[in-house]
């Protein structure tokens, strides 16, 4: 029974052999876990930019990937999603150096942090998981449009089912629970994906007719990763139940699938798990909330994104 149980846990595989010659992908938080495995796979196909806060860790990951894939086009760039200044600097440098961008994978994330704030005073989960990637996508969107067909892939989570967008207390100052804060931020990822897809094509059909830039979200599965490092209990449970958790390689499959699978060329505004469409919570399908979150996010970041 063990092997078949393991196979079930492993979930879907990305079978696409699509090459990304001459194409450029950015992956945030790709120095560890599923981000690193996504980078490793994409490096076998084309040019990969690993955008991370910890440059030393990122360089170690990049040189390992270069050695393994023989691709020297695995480049590390500094990006701290908890600081809008760093996000703007990253985008400015990237736009100055690269003429094209075909794939943006918003993968980095924090989970179960004790209450803390980003450099700009945002609650950490909302700031890094949602607002940081929202701003990054905004700054890179023109380049994605110019390079189209292009794809935006947002790593969300099944945890979005437990989230709600609490506009009256978005920063968790009145009440804070780190588990729920994570859920809220993952719901924000789903709503951002939905509204972004709608705006990129003018209407929420499931085919991108507008800009040829698609946006999809995904649940990677329950993966053995460093994400639970802030919680002793979770770290302990993760160890006990490791047999039932995906490896980072298995967890990366849906991210890779959303980034490269040919059959998703014109699919947008969707949510995937195990390399197939998955169920989105009712809150994750609420267009009114998605629009309002978009506007509030723009206000918080001081940007105009129409």
């Amino acid at each position: 029974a063990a092997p078949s149980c393991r196979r079930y846990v492993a979930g879907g595989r990305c079978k696409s052999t699509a090459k990304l010659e001459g194409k450029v992908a950015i992956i945030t938080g790709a120095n560890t876990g599923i981000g690193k495995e996504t980078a490793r796979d994409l490096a076998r196909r084309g040019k990969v930019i690993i955008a991370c806060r910890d440059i030393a860790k990122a360089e170690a990951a990049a040189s390992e990937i270069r050695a393994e894939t023989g691709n020297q086009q695995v480049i590390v760039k500094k990006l701290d999603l908890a600081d809008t200044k760093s996000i703007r600097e990253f985008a400015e440098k990237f736009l100055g150096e690269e003429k094209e961008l075909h794939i943006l994978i918003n993968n980095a994330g924090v989970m179960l942090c004790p209450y803390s704030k980003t450099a700009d005073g945002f609650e950490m989960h909302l700031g890094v998981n949602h607002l940081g990637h929202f701003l990054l996508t905004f700054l890179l969107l023109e380049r994605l449009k110019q390079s189209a067909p292009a794809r935006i892939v947002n790593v969300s989570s099944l945890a979005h089912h437990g989230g709600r967008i609490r506009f009256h207390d978005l920063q968790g100052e009145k009440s804070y629970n780190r588990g729920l804060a994570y859920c809220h931020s993952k719901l924000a990822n789903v709503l951002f994906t939905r509204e972004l897809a709608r705006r990129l094509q003018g209407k929420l059909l499931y085919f991108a007719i507008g800009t040829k830039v698609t946006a999809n979200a995904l649940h990677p599965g329950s993966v053995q990763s460093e994400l639970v490092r802030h919680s002793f209990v979770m770290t302990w449970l993760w160890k006990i139940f490791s047999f039932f958790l995906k490896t980072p390689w298995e967890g990366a499959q849906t991210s890779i699938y959303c980034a490269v699978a040919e059959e998703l060329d014109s699919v947008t505004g969707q949510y995937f798990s195990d390399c197939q469409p998955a169920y989105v919570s009712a809150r994750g399908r609420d267009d009114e909330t998605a629009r309002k979150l978009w506007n509030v996010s723009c206000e918080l970041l001081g940007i105009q994104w129409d």
Side-chain angles (χ1 to χ4, degrees):
S4 61
C5 173
R6 228 359 272 153
R7 259 201 309 282
Y8 176 74
V9 170
R13 298 259 156 110
C14 176
K15 300 194 171 69
S16 168
T17 55
K19 283 277 172 250
L20 303 173
E21 277 136 14
K23 296 201 171 177
V24 181
I26 292 176
I27 308 172
T28 66
N31 57 357
T32 180
I34 65 172
K36 182 177 171 186
E37 293 305 323
T38 305
R40 194 193 308 270
D41 181 283
L42 263 47
R44 294 199 173 92
R45 304 170 192 259
K47 182 171 185 173
V48 176
I49 290 164
I50 291 179
C52 292
R53 189 184 56 201
D54 187 330
I55 291 292
K57 265 191 176 174
E59 280 296 355
S63 63
E64 179 192 313
I65 291 170
R66 282 184 217 117
E68 192 182 309
T69 61
N71 180 1
Q72 294 312 301
Q73 300 257 279
V74 180
I75 296 158
V76 171
K77 295 278 180 235
K78 168 105 175 139
L79 171 67
D80 183 354
L81 286 157
D83 183 352
T84 57
K85 192 165 152 284
S86 168
I87 299 168
R88 288 180 178 280
E89 279 168 8
F90 168 86
E92 198 179 321
K93 276 201 181 117
F94 173 83
L95 295 171
E97 290 166 9
E98 298 287 342
K99 291 294 153 261
E100 295 196 294
L101 174 59
H102 305 89
I103 298 167
L104 171 61
I105 303 181
N106 291 318
N107 162 83
V110 293
M111 181 178 178
L112 305 174
C113 310
Y115 189 80
S116 54
K117 289 184 169 175
T118 68
D120 302 88
F122 306 135
E123 185 275 315
M124 192 61 74
H125 291 91
L126 184 82
V128 171
N129 298 355
H130 170 60
L131 292 169
H133 282 129
F134 187 94
L135 179 60
L136 179 66
T137 306
F138 167 74
L139 295 169
L140 298 175
L141 190 61
E142 275 316 304
R143 189 57 43 96
L144 283 157
K145 286 180 181 173
Q146 290 158 10
S147 314
R151 300 185 187 193
I152 298 161
V153 178
N154 295 324
V155 179
S156 178
S157 168
L158 186 66
H160 84 270
H161 286 277
R164 53 176 50 193
I165 306 299
R166 302 159 67 244
F167 289 109
H168 63 286
D169 188 22
L170 209 52
Q171 310 291 346
E173 284 158 329
K174 296 183 189 139
S175 73
Y176 181 76
N177 171 301
R178 54 193 186 167
L180 287 175
Y182 176 71
C183 294
H184 301 333
S185 72
K186 293 287 115 181
L187 174 59
N189 293 156
V190 170
L191 290 167
F192 168 47
T193 305
R194 188 174 179 89
E195 181 65 8
L196 178 59
R198 190 185 70 78
R199 285 165 181 259
L200 285 171
Q201 60 200 78
K203 46 191 169 308
L204 194 62
L205 293 169
Y206 291 105
F207 295 96
I209 41 184
T211 53
K212 289 261 186 245
V213 179
T214 62
N216 291 298
L218 67 104
H219 166 56
S222 300
V223 179
Q224 283 173 298
S225 75
E226 293 176 15
L227 259 187
V228 293
R229 62 181 173 268
H230 292 293
S231 165
F232 170 75
V233 175
M234 286 293 282
T235 305
W236 183 71
L237 285 170
W238 245 226
K239 283 203 168 77
I240 293 175
F241 293 109
S242 63
F243 184 78
F244 297 103
L245 296 174
K246 291 186 177 189
T247 64
W249 183 84
E250 289 161 354
Q253 293 303 305
T254 307
S255 295
I256 298 162
Y257 175 74
C258 288
V260 304
E262 299 89 338
E263 64 267 31
L264 298 188
D265 272 345
S266 56
V267 174
T268 191
Q270 297 288 318
Y271 170 78
F272 292 85
S273 176
D274 280 328
C275 301
Q276 55 191 10
Y279 182 73
V280 177
S281 74
R283 289 197 184 102
R285 298 192 304 269
D286 186 332
D287 292 329
E288 195 46 47
T289 305
R291 259 192 297 279
K292 189 173 174 189
L293 178 64
W294 184 283
N295 294 333
V296 169
S297 302
C298 286
E299 273 166 45
L300 288 169
L301 292 163
I303 59 176
Q304 290 265 199
W305 189 356
D306 299 319

